[in-house]
Amino acid sequence: MAHSLSVIPTQMASQCVSKVELSISCSNLLDKDVGSKSDPLCVLLQSIGDDKWTELDRTEQVKNCQDPEFSKKLLLDYHFEKVQKLKLGVYDIDNKSVDLKDDDFLGGLECTLGQIVSSKKITRPLQLKKGKPAGKGTITITAEEIKDNRAIVLEVEAKGLDKKDLFGKSDPFLEFFKQGDDGKWQLVHRTEVLITIFLWGSCNPICGTETGYVKKKVDNHGDGDGCFVFEEVVYIVHCDQVEFDCVHPEKKKKKKSYKNSGVISVKSCQVAFFTNMDHHSWFLYFSKVGIDFTGSNGDPRSPQSLHYLSPDGLNQYLSATWSVGLVVQDYDTDKLFPAFGFGAQVPPDFKVSHEFALNFNPSNPYCQGVQGIVEAYRMALPQVKLYGPTNFSPIINHVAGIASGAAQQNNASQYFVLLIITDGEITDLDQTRDAIVKASRLPMSIIIIGVGEADFKAMELLDGDDGVLKSLSGEPVTRDIVQFVPLRQFANAPKEALAQSVLAEVPNQLVSYFKMLKLDPVNIPAPKA
């Protein structure tokens, strides 16, 4: 058995795009075959809008297995600023046709790529239809960002393997595993004729200047049932040729004179490289929303008001909240968002507040997801009186105080995103400039969305795209943390365009902060489902 491993170069990723590979495994699948187990494969589809889906890739087929661990990784582009809806379907394949219509559907899952990436690993019950469980079976998806530009080229050969077939020779194959951060072994690839192994993600490198390790399993029976498997942990370095005994644990226990069940020869092992990619590590995002309730928005009861709720229950403020919030919430661990309003007279005494909780609970201003923010906004709108002035600095300073506390931890576990939605008539411009300059030294970004038809020159000044923003004393921002866009520019654009625009700079802002402090990513808790 001889195999040559070659390298496939990848293209340079764009500034805000990362390459992600998905590893798929299933357990306890439905058994649709008579006299044998199912022969599953998994297909990956992505939404293209209007309830239409396009196939991106599919795994290999695993024969006679209800608990498959697919060796083929599903590679796709990851856009932080987009909601990328995915659908995974598991099918029992009984023919050679690529068309899945005549194959048995064992169950599927719909989710977003952001949910998988932020969790790193998710396990969900399979569903026959959306909201209808398949009855049995789960699917596990692991996401890993491609970071390492090294690959290895191995030429592997097996000799003297035990004969396991009654008639004819054995049908052996070789499996390579890598060890993840959790210490568990994950299938990298199962050999056929020509395979590629990349050293992606957080696994230890297999070769190069550092010695890493893989676990190899040789199935000498060919059916993959695990009855005749030889395992050992091997260390591979740059080499011309090295041999390893293929040891069957049970045979070794029973027979003192036992030596091996064959020999695996790595005839050559060389390091190869593919094109570098700009990448962004995944960090924990905490978000806060601030909504402008000043009088310049107009009486909410009037159709001319920016706060006027149309018959479908929407306005420009809610449209912006939905667009950005649906993307950001995938990266918040508990999906609890502190949501505030500013510039209104607030009950019970109707004093002007520049930072009031939308749910009127200052001790617990958190809303459950984007839907919770929308519900709190709709509840608050008829109870407050729009007033003024329009001050940004209080809410910026509030988030900066939280971020300052997080910065004291001296690790890359928390980053904060403040979303401000406003009609642009800012009153405390000088104080806001000072607040932004101070905040630029902290783990936070500020997104400002302008609604209505006002002159947004002040917002454009805060954005700093036309020059470095400075405080009143002349101190420049340490880094660019503000992104401003006027909502009116997206009136005729696809609904996802606004989020893509306002969130496009956040990954680089995040990375620039932690690189500035020379802090590496840390393992983070998985968000709730």
Side-chain angles (χ1 to χ4, degrees):
M1 179 178 70
H3 292 275
S4 176
L5 286 76
S6 60
V7 178
I8 302 173
T10 62
Q11 299 297 320
M12 179 73 74
S14 61
Q15 186 178 20
C16 292
V17 180
S18 292
K19 292 286 185 182
V20 170
E21 66 172 14
L22 303 182
S23 300
I24 312 295
S25 63
C26 300
S27 64
N28 198 28
L29 292 177
L30 289 170
D31 190 358
K32 292 287 188 176
D33 289 348
V34 178
S36 65
K37 298 176 182 178
S38 295
D39 307 313
L41 68 69
C42 182
V43 61
L44 173 66
L45 301 99
Q46 181 168 329
S47 172
I48 55 176
D50 298 325
D51 203 29
K52 295 179 180 178
W53 301 82
T54 183
E55 181 175 334
L56 297 181
D57 203 354
R58 59 177 67 181
T59 68
E60 82 282 9
Q61 177 189 17
V62 179
K63 293 187 177 181
N64 296 323
C65 186
Q66 289 179 277
D67 303 289
E69 182 176 9
F70 299 103
S71 63
K72 181 180 177 182
K73 311 304 176 186
L74 306 180
L75 184 66
L76 65 164
D77 289 336
Y78 169 63
H79 301 259
F80 163 79
E81 71 278 8
K82 293 183 181 180
V83 176
Q84 293 174 262
K85 295 181 180 179
L86 302 179
K87 182 187 292 186
L88 294 101
V90 183
Y91 292 83
D92 175 22
I93 307 300
D94 293 315
N95 54 58
K96 294 183 179 181
S97 171
V98 297
D99 192 347
L100 299 172
K101 292 180 181 178
D102 54 354
D103 295 303
D104 291 322
F105 181 59
L106 303 180
L109 171 70
E110 289 188 28
C111 61
T112 68
L113 182 56
Q115 289 171 337
I116 303 173
V117 168
S118 60
S119 300
K120 293 189 177 180
K121 181 179 182 179
I122 64 171
T123 299
R124 298 285 187 273
L126 288 168
Q127 297 181 335
L128 289 177
K129 292 183 179 179
K130 192 171 183 180
K132 182 180 179 181
K136 62 184 299 189
T138 61
I139 184 170
T140 298
I141 311 166
T142 303
E144 194 164 29
E145 184 193 10
I146 301 171
K147 302 176 184 178
D148 203 321
N149 70 337
R150 292 172 295 176
I152 58 171
V153 180
L154 291 176
E155 186 178 354
V156 185
E157 183 178 71
K159 297 178 181 179
L161 297 178
D162 288 349
K163 184 179 179 181
K164 297 298 178 182
D165 289 347
L166 293 176
F167 303 101
K169 297 180 180 180
S170 298
D171 306 307
F173 57 84
L174 189 67
E175 291 182 338
F176 289 83
F177 292 74
K178 66 182 179 182
Q179 194 171 36
D181 292 336
D182 57 2
K184 296 180 179 179
W185 292 96
Q186 184 181 24
L187 181 64
V188 175
H189 210 102
R190 183 182 297 114
T191 64
E192 291 181 80
V193 178
L194 186 68
I195 65 172
T196 302
I197 293 181
F198 293 99
L199 307 184
W200 291 334
S202 58
C203 65
N204 291 318
I206 297 175
C207 62
T209 56
E210 298 179 17
T211 301
Y213 55 93
V214 295
K215 180 169 71 173
K216 63 180 177 62
K217 295 174 67 176
V218 180
D219 189 315
N220 198 25
H221 195 246
D223 60 6
D225 61 7
C227 293
F228 304 94
V229 176
F230 313 99
E231 299 186 7
E232 73 177 299
V233 176
V234 299
Y235 290 80
I236 302 177
V237 294
H238 185 82
C239 62
D240 292 326
Q241 184 166 345
V242 64
E243 291 186 347
F244 304 95
D245 286 334
C246 202
V247 178
H248 193 298
E250 295 302 319
K251 284 190 175 183
K252 188 175 181 180
K253 287 180 182 178
K254 294 178 181 179
K255 195 173 182 181
K256 290 184 178 180
S257 61
Y258 174 80
K259 183 179 180 181
N260 62 46
S261 294
V263 175
I264 300 295
S265 298
V266 181
K267 300 178 69 175
S268 68
C269 172
Q270 297 179 341
V271 181
F273 293 87
F274 57 92
T275 307
N276 277 316
M277 294 181 295
D278 184 21
H279 68 275
H280 306 297
S281 299
W282 318 125
F283 299 90
L284 191 59
Y285 286 81
F286 288 85
S287 304
K288 181 171 181 176
V289 179
I291 296 178
D292 185 341
F293 281 88
T294 55
S296 55
N297 284 278
D299 187 341
R301 296 169 295 182
S302 169
Q304 284 71 45
S305 171
L306 294 172
H307 280 291
Y308 176 76
L309 293 175
S310 63
D312 60 0
L314 292 176
N315 58 28
Q316 291 190 43
Y317 281 95
L318 290 182
S319 295
T321 301
W322 275 116
S323 179
V324 178
L326 286 176
V327 176
V328 175
Q329 72 176 0
D330 281 343
Y331 304 93
D332 195 284
T333 51
D334 54 16
K335 304 193 188 309
L336 292 174
F337 297 90
F340 293 84
F342 58 89
Q345 293 177 325
V346 181
D349 53 10
F350 288 96
K351 291 183 178 179
V352 176
S353 173
H354 300 297
E355 187 182 13
F356 64 90
L358 284 186
N359 62 6
F360 298 118
N361 186 352
S363 62
N364 184 19
Y366 295 91
C367 301
Q368 182 65 54
V370 182
Q371 182 64 45
I373 297 174
V374 171
E375 291 172 357
Y377 168 83
R378 288 173 175 163
M379 178 191 71
L381 186 59
Q383 299 187 57
V384 302
K385 295 180 180 179
L386 275 60
Y387 204 72
T390 307
N391 292 345
F392 284 8
S393 60
I395 198 167
I396 294 175
N397 287 330
H398 179 82
V399 177
I402 300 172
S404 178
Q408 303 304 314
Q409 299 178 20
N410 200 35
N411 61 41
S413 65
Q414 297 185 58
Y415 194 86
F416 300 81
V417 178
L418 169 61
L419 170 63
I420 298 176
I421 309 175
T422 179
D423 69 350
E425 301 289 342
I426 186 170
T427 307
D428 65 338
L429 180 59
D430 291 341
Q431 292 87 342
T432 298
R433 287 166 55 189
D434 289 345
I436 292 174
V437 169
K438 293 177 182 177
S440 69
R441 300 190 291 268
L442 299 171
M444 64 178 287
S445 291
I446 302 170
I447 296 170
I448 304 175
I449 298 177
V451 298
E453 302 300 322
D455 183 349
F456 292 116
K457 287 184 178 179
M459 300 299 103
E460 292 167 356
L461 171 67
L462 299 178
D463 190 305
D465 284 347
D466 296 329
V468 178
L469 179 69
K470 296 181 180 179
S471 67
L472 278 178
S473 64
E475 180 185 359
V477 289
T478 303
R479 58 193 182 89
D480 179 19
I481 64 168
V482 178
Q483 172 74 351
F484 165 76
V485 296
L487 185 62
R488 62 190 178 215
Q489 289 185 357
F490 300 88
N492 299 315
K495 60 182 181 180
E496 66 273 11
L498 173 64
Q500 292 177 26
S501 178
V502 298
L503 294 172
E505 294 184 13
V506 172
N508 282 339
Q509 292 171 355
L510 180 152
V511 171
S512 70
Y513 174 78
F514 290 119
K515 281 187 174 180
M516 178 178 69
L517 298 183
K518 298 181 180 180
L519 295 176
D520 294 324
V522 299
N523 291 326
I524 61 175
K528 295 180 181 179

